[in-house]
């Protein structure tokens, strides 16, 4: 058992379709209003909004990290 960080209700995390989902005690998917409100404030960035040079730096850093972890 865990507690929702938004509304402090007890929830259980279950694997559903490759993702972990919060489940209420009655078996339904947990989706409190506080969580929904916090998700609205997350800004999504489109690939076209980033400068090409910055995007290239991000890609190089990711590739270097992946190459460093391969053995």
């Amino acid at each position: 058992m865990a507690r929702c960080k938004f509304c402090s209700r007890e929830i259980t995390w279950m694997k559903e379709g490759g993702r972990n989902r919060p489940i209420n005690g009655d078996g339904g998917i947990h989706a409190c209003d506080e969580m929904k409100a916090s998700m609205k404030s997350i800004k999504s960035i489109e690939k076209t909004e980033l400068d090409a040079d910055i995007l290239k730096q991000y890609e190089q850093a990711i590739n270097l990290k992946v190459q460093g972890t391969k053995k």
Side-chain angles (χ1 to χ4, degrees), residues 9-70:
R9 290 188 202 142
E10 285 195 9
I11 56 173
T12 304
W13 290 96
M14 300 204 51
K15 195 78 158 179
E16 182 180 294
R19 297 181 68 188
N20 288 325
R21 299 242 185 223
I23 306 294
N24 289 327
D26 63 357
I29 295 175
H30 178 73
C32 57
D33 293 332
E34 295 89 348
M35 179 178 65
K36 289 177 185 176
S38 72
M39 296 303 223
K40 287 181 183 176
S41 67
I42 296 174
K43 181 182 178 191
S44 62
I45 298 175
E46 295 296 324
K47 187 175 180 179
T48 56
E49 292 178 12
L50 291 174
D51 186 30
D53 294 331
I54 294 173
L55 187 60
K56 187 182 283 187
Q57 289 176 356
Y58 286 142
E59 290 175 348
Q60 287 175 348
I62 291 169
N63 291 336
L64 288 174
K65 187 172 183 177
V66 168
Q67 289 175 356
T69 58
K70 288 184 180 177

